[in-house]
Amino acid sequence: MKKYKIIYADPPWFRGQRMMSSNKSDRHVEASRHYPIMKKEALCELPIREIADKDCAIFMWVTDSNLDEAIEVMRAWGFKYKTVAFIWQKKEKSGKQVCFMGCWTMKNCELVLLGTKGAMTKHLKSRKVRQLQEAVRERNIHSRKPQLIREKIEEMFGVLPRIELFAREKTEGWDVWGNEVESDIEL
């Protein structure tokens, strides 16, 4: 099976409760209405270790309410959590912040965690990539992530064998796996 040095994943996290948007047209958005969701146990069982090279970095999308589960999944896949690589501060085209009602605070960010296995620092091309990334969210597709994050990963590590897991579209230069694309590998 092909091995990758970069794994970029946007797992379909199960969330026990719905988040509400400050935008009335977006109220009660549930991920399960848009795509099949997975519980932590099912995510942990995916054979990601089989596609991870001996030196490999994982970039995993997560919301703050799923941080503990994301780190558990990362460990199950053979990675050690290192840091929050990116914080996506969501904006509308108008520049207004996107906000969702959480249990405690208004949510307007998503996180990308970084985990590694092996010696990935020898593959690092740039340490000057900023953590906070402001990007306009696309309202036409639920959960679409900004292309900017893929570009920042490439800036950090250059052109290494890379795959996007749970992909929703094909991106040039990246292998993909997911139920909404023609996958480059089978898991």
Side-chain angles (χ1 to χ4, degrees):
M1 183 171 280
K2 186 171 181 180
K3 302 284 187 181
Y4 298 93
K5 293 211 176 285
I6 303 292
I7 296 175
Y8 176 62
D10 183 15
W13 299 107
F14 172 79
R15 289 174 180 83
Q17 59 190 355
R18 295 187 279 189
M19 300 203 34
M20 292 177 60
S21 169
S22 60
N23 181 336
K24 290 178 181 156
S25 65
D26 251 355
R27 295 221 185 237
H28 300 293
V29 173
E30 281 186 87
S32 63
R33 289 192 340 221
H34 301 278
Y35 48 79
I37 56 174
M38 296 176 72
K39 292 193 175 184
K40 174 189 68 173
E41 296 77 14
L43 289 166
C44 286
E45 291 174 7
L46 290 172
I48 305 309
R49 288 176 183 259
E50 293 177 25
I51 65 169
D53 205 338
K54 64 182 176 69
D55 296 334
C56 188
I58 187 164
F59 292 86
M60 182 183 290
W61 283 96
V62 65
T63 58
D64 59 347
S65 61
N66 289 85
L67 277 171
D68 56 343
E69 290 184 345
I71 293 170
E72 283 183 57
V73 169
M74 200 178 273
R75 282 190 194 121
W77 291 354
F79 295 89
K80 181 178 180 184
Y81 168 76
K82 295 295 184 174
T83 192
V84 173
F86 303 109
I87 301 166
W88 174 28
Q89 184 177 15
K90 297 179 183 182
K91 301 260 183 170
E92 298 287 359
K93 286 182 181 177
S94 67
K96 180 182 173 190
Q97 287 187 353
V98 175
C99 290
F100 295 94
M101 296 285 287
C103 289
W104 306 98
T105 59
M106 297 288 288
K107 309 295 184 187
N108 71 323
C109 295
E110 284 189 52
L111 307 174
V112 180
L113 305 184
L114 170 63
T116 64
K117 62 179 270 193
M120 277 307 287
T121 53
K122 69 184 176 188
H123 300 286
L124 195 58
K125 303 285 185 213
S126 175
R127 295 177 189 268
K128 294 184 179 186
V129 176
R130 303 232 180 227
Q131 185 182 52
L132 182 61
Q133 301 293 325
E134 290 185 5
V136 173
R137 77 166 177 156
E138 293 186 42
R139 298 180 52 80
N140 57 344
I141 297 179
H142 178 77
S143 194
R144 176 176 275 180
K145 303 304 189 265
Q147 173 63 25
L148 175 67
I149 300 300
R150 290 180 200 88
E151 293 167 4
K152 295 301 179 182
I153 293 169
E154 292 172 9
E155 184 179 336
M156 287 176 70
F157 286 103
V159 180
L160 294 173
R162 54 197 184 272
I163 188 167
E164 181 175 345
L165 303 180
F166 309 102
R168 305 186 87 196
E169 60 190 356
K170 181 75 173 156
T171 301
E172 187 175 334
W174 292 73
D175 283 356
V176 294
W177 176 83
N179 65 354
E180 296 182 19
V181 294
E182 185 176 326
S183 297
D184 294 303
I185 64 165
E186 277 190 45
L187 287 178

